[in-house]
Amino acid sequence: ENKKTIEHVISIWLKIMNPLTPHLSEELNNNNNNNNNNNKQLISSSSWPEIDTESISLKAEAGEEIVKTAMDGMRNVLKLAKLEKANKFTLFIAEAWLYDLFRILSSEMKVTRNVGEVMKKVLEEEKMKIKGKEVSKIVLSVMKDASKLPTLVTSMEEELITMQEAKEFLEKEFNCSIEIILAKDTEDQKAKSAMPGKVGILVE
């Protein structure tokens, strides 16, 4: 389905390979050109690839990141449950207010790592005050381990769409049925572990 994109990426990779593995890159390039009926040109005589900023999609990368994180989490859950195979996975998407919180954290942690200052900024939002204890716990956890922040904080809606689009792929990968639910629509305790960039996981 994405043949043109793959061919484009391969052509860039081969140029980057050339200084390190010149013979291999030229051979692969020759095969690539034969398959595409392109004019044959030695990589060594071609221009070095340049960054095409318009082709970079941070949202696409964030989507790929959440799917990969979900797969790692699903495998870990199977391991902890001592299951070789799941009958079903239920994946929970975090509540909407958490994305607002993570956006504030992402912005403020670039300025300071002072917990008090960050907490003060977070609690300027009225809806965060209502979630007081929960917010405090999450802020402390994220500030202790910044890797809990996704590369790009999107939204509940966007993560839901991403996971729904990945549903068929995940069902094939884990050979079981997958259900995707918004954490706000269930009382299941596993839903509370869902955070932006990280789905909550229930295995059956």
Side-chain angles (χ1 to χ4, degrees):
E1 291 180 15
N2 302 301
K3 189 176 180 182
K4 286 185 179 179
T5 301
I6 293 169
E7 288 171 353
H8 178 62
V9 170
I10 288 174
S11 70
I12 294 172
W13 278 354
L14 294 178
K15 289 177 182 178
I16 295 172
M17 283 173 59
N18 192 258
L20 302 174
T21 55
H23 298 294
L24 178 59
S25 62
E26 294 290 2
E27 184 178 345
L28 292 173
N29 181 58
N30 185 56
N31 291 339
N32 195 41
N33 284 333
N34 286 337
N35 291 335
N36 299 329
N37 297 316
N38 292 335
N39 294 325
K40 293 184 180 180
Q41 179 188 17
L42 289 174
I43 292 181
S44 56
S45 63
S46 65
S47 300
W48 188 252
E50 295 182 2
I51 294 175
D52 179 8
T53 53
E54 291 185 4
S55 295
I56 297 173
S57 171
L58 295 179
K59 283 189 177 181
E61 290 187 9
E64 186 174 329
E65 186 178 303
I66 189 176
V67 173
K68 182 180 182 300
T69 301
M71 290 174 69
D72 290 342
M74 291 160 78
R75 291 190 182 105
N76 286 336
V77 167
L78 282 176
K79 189 176 179 180
L80 289 171
K82 296 181 180 179
L83 295 172
E84 289 187 12
K85 180 186 174 300
N87 291 317
K88 177 184 177 183
F89 273 110
T90 304
L91 307 179
F92 303 98
I93 307 296
E95 295 182 43
W97 69 270
L98 287 165
Y99 296 87
D100 294 331
L101 172 59
F102 271 52
R103 267 190 288 274
I104 297 171
L105 287 176
S106 180
S107 175
E108 292 304 310
M109 285 174 67
K110 291 172 185 173
V111 179
T112 179
R113 290 300 176 95
N114 182 292
V115 176
E117 289 179 16
V118 173
M119 191 69 76
K120 183 180 177 182
K121 196 72 178 179
V122 168
L123 294 177
E124 285 178 4
E125 297 280 335
E126 194 62 37
K127 58 186 169 185
M128 298 302 164
K129 289 181 183 178
I130 299 170
K131 302 274 186 181
K133 289 183 179 179
E134 200 173 346
V135 165
S136 178
K137 184 179 178 181
I138 293 169
V139 170
L140 289 172
S141 175
V142 171
M143 291 198 72
K144 282 182 182 179
D145 182 5
S147 68
K148 291 180 179 179
L149 274 175
T151 306
L152 177 71
V153 182
T154 56
S155 68
M156 179 185 74
E157 293 80 9
E158 286 173 302
E159 288 198 355
L160 175 62
I161 290 169
T162 296
M163 294 308 298
Q164 286 175 335
E165 288 176 346
K167 183 175 180 289
E168 186 178 348
F169 165 74
L170 292 173
E171 287 179 333
K172 288 179 180 178
E173 186 72 16
F174 290 91
N175 192 26
C176 69
S177 65
I178 305 280
E179 185 176 9
I180 300 163
I181 299 176
L182 293 175
K184 70 180 183 67
D185 294 336
T186 177
E187 295 297 322
D188 196 294
Q189 288 299 307
K190 292 291 183 181
K192 293 182 179 180
S193 66
M195 292 287 153
K198 179 178 175 289
V199 298
I201 301 169
L202 174 65
V203 64
E204 297 175 30

